[in-house]
Amino acid sequence: MRSPQQVTDGGDVLDAVVIGAGWAGLGVSYWLARRGLRHSVLERGRIGETWRTQRWDLFRMNTPNVQTVMPGDCYDGPDPDGALTRDQFVTLLEDFAGRNALPIEPDTAVSELTHENGAYRLTTSHGTRWARNVIVASGSLNCPVRPVWAAALSPALRQIDASGYRSAADLPDGAVLVVGSGQSGAQIAEELADAGRTVFLATSRVGRLPRRYRGRDIMVWLLESGFLDVRREEVIRLAGRIPPRGVLGSVRTISLQALSAQGVVLLGRLIGIEYGGSLSFADDLEANARFADEASENVKRNVDDYISRMGIDAPVAEPDPAETVAMRQPNPKIGSLDLSRSGVTSVVWCTGFKGDFSWMRLPGALDSAGQPVHADGVAALPRLYFARKSGTILAIAEEAPRLVEHIAGHS
């Protein structure tokens, strides 16, 4: 059997291959280059492909501009508290890759990853690559998840996932049912209501963050106070699971009560389909709203404690209209909804995503659910890494150099 050195296109084995050219993959590439490690970044489409194709037209980043920066960069623009649009963020990624001459291979999809002869073998749409180390930065949120019974709904109903939603104008005339009140669901419901559509929102148990608090963007407080540094394992230990991210509006606070004031019809959690095709909802709307309120109060208490502990001269808290407006509930409560009679012609599923790692042919790399086995991004298999730290774009500034130092230390 020939060695990897004899079968690579370039005649030798790369120090590393990064899979994915989103913010994580580019951040890892930046630090690999600074370390002088020969590598390539394989991207199935274009730089920031997921941001281009799985975000709606009016999407904005949830971090303020001052925090939407790549490794080695800092914000020096005129609007630190603003939020980049989808297209502006893609431009930021392209500019970063260009300025740093990162070795991107666009339109190069990886179809198989194996380990042979002491190196990783990557089968791609443009030939074979070999590498001593592989960093998977393709993301874990690229496959939308729907309830299994969604297929039983009327074929006349337009069903799309959050990643397929682009604008209210793209949906057929009629009312819209948005399922899931997490980040995407709440923002899409708000956009549809702003566009004058009749919106039903099936809520869920999700926390909430105020957009601004005591004179600053909430994300500035959370980063400065160390709130965002809580380890993933600790969050799971406390919650018993990975909780969905708290709802955070890009330009203002989004709450269930504020959505109801805009005319959004709030429902409990969607629990199934009845005989005849109507949908059933749990009687938990008030509990879901209360959970979001309590989550917001907990975050604000954390900020208050930090301000007090550090002796920071911050303005007093002011009432947030989105959190003080009374919630409007359907009367009588809606436990069952006939979509046709209610005029619903579209359903937007905002029910989560999972990662597709079926192309990894590496025993022990994935768990029984097909998801990566790792500790802080270091996989169970040697020289395999996952750039997966959740949170803001700033997270990669901590994770990328740590993973690269691990690679360098074991080279």
Side-chain angles (χ1 to χ4, degrees):
M1 181 178 292
R2 292 178 296 172
S3 69
Q5 285 82 356
Q6 293 175 306
V7 295
T8 54
D9 294 340
D12 62 353
V13 181
L14 292 170
D15 292 321
V17 161
V18 181
I19 302 175
W23 82 35
L26 297 181
V28 171
S29 176
Y30 172 83
W31 284 104
L32 287 169
R34 286 177 66 88
R35 260 296 195 163
L37 295 173
R38 296 177 57 254
H39 71 284
S40 184
V41 181
L42 308 183
E43 167 55 51
R44 62 186 171 87
R46 300 157 292 179
I47 291 174
E49 185 67 25
T50 296
W51 295 92
R52 298 172 188 265
T53 59
Q54 295 187 17
R55 301 295 187 273
W56 56 93
D57 294 347
L58 298 182
F59 175 90
R60 285 183 176 271
M61 300 295 290
N62 288 325
T63 49
N65 289 337
V66 70
Q67 291 183 344
T68 310
V69 293
M70 294 295 288
D73 291 347
C74 62
Y75 181 78
D76 60 358
D79 188 18
D81 290 332
L84 292 182
T85 65
R86 174 196 64 189
D87 296 340
Q88 288 172 333
F89 182 63
V90 170
T91 298
L92 179 149
L93 296 181
E94 291 179 322
D95 176 70
F96 178 80
R99 282 189 289 109
N100 291 285
L102 300 181
I104 315 297
E105 294 188 50
D107 300 316
T108 305
V110 177
S111 59
E112 186 176 65
L113 174 63
T114 59
H115 193 269
E116 304 174 21
N117 303 328
Y120 285 101
R121 183 179 190 272
L122 299 99
T123 303
T124 82
S125 53
H126 290 295
T128 300
R129 305 289 186 276
W130 291 87
R132 297 181 180 86
N133 300 275
V134 170
I135 305 94
V136 180
S138 54
S140 59
L141 302 175
N142 44 28
C143 293
V145 176
R146 297 183 186 180
V148 293
W149 43 262
L153 295 177
S154 169
L157 194 67
R158 172 80 181 278
Q159 298 188 61
I160 61 173
D161 301 292
S163 57
Y165 172 77
R166 292 295 173 268
S167 72
D170 287 340
L171 299 180
D173 292 339
V176 183
L177 171 64
V178 178
V179 182
S181 59
Q183 192 74 280
S184 297
Q187 292 189 15
I188 290 173
E190 180 184 54
E191 178 177 311
L192 289 169
D194 286 342
R197 303 298 288 265
T198 297
V199 183
F200 294 87
L201 176 62
T203 62
S204 42
R205 194 170 183 262
V206 183
R208 182 182 73 242
L209 297 173
R211 181 69 265 180
R212 292 187 65 81
Y213 185 64
R214 299 192 66 173
R216 291 187 182 181
D217 188 284
I218 193 64
M219 294 303 295
V220 174
W221 283 124
L222 297 186
L223 179 66
E224 185 178 306
S225 66
F227 187 90
L228 298 178
D229 294 334
V230 179
R231 289 170 55 85
R232 178 186 179 95
E233 292 78 9
E234 181 65 10
V235 172
I236 296 174
R237 184 186 69 80
L238 294 174
R241 62 189 178 94
I242 302 175
R245 295 177 183 176
V247 174
L248 178 62
S250 58
V251 295
R252 60 178 179 266
T253 303
I254 299 180
S255 68
L256 294 181
Q257 48 266 49
L259 290 173
S260 72
Q262 288 179 262
V264 174
V265 181
L266 300 181
L267 309 169
R269 177 174 52 88
L270 178 58
I271 55 178
I273 185 170
E274 302 171 355
Y275 179 77
S278 294
L279 299 182
S280 297
F281 300 87
D283 184 17
D284 60 358
L285 172 58
E286 293 182 5
N288 293 339
R290 184 167 55 251
F291 180 84
D293 291 343
E294 292 171 352
S296 179
E297 291 303 314
N298 287 338
V299 169
K300 289 186 284 190
R301 276 196 296 271
N302 180 280
V303 173
D304 290 339
D305 291 344
Y306 172 73
I307 290 173
S308 176
R309 188 170 64 253
M310 301 303 293
I312 298 173
D313 182 16
V316 298
E318 296 182 358
D320 188 323
E323 298 190 315
T324 56
V325 66
M327 184 170 71
R328 301 178 182 178
Q329 300 187 52
N331 186 17
K333 295 180 180 179
I334 299 176
S336 177
L337 186 69
D338 184 308
L339 299 183
S340 179
R341 291 182 180 178
S342 301
V344 174
T345 59
S346 305
V347 176
V348 182
W349 296 103
C350 302
T351 44
F353 294 83
K354 65 179 180 180
D356 178 12
F357 301 96
S358 58
W359 44 272
M360 297 182 69
R361 308 287 194 266
L362 299 170
L366 307 175
D367 62 19
S368 59
Q371 300 304 295
V373 177
H374 69 99
D376 286 336
V378 180
L381 301 184
R383 300 182 182 277
L384 179 65
Y385 303 86
F386 294 93
R388 298 168 53 82
K389 187 171 181 180
S390 61
T392 69
I393 186 173
L394 291 178
I396 200 63
E398 179 275 326
E399 182 178 56
R402 176 174 54 79
L403 295 182
V404 171
E405 285 304 306
H406 193 280
I407 291 171
H410 289 78
S411 296

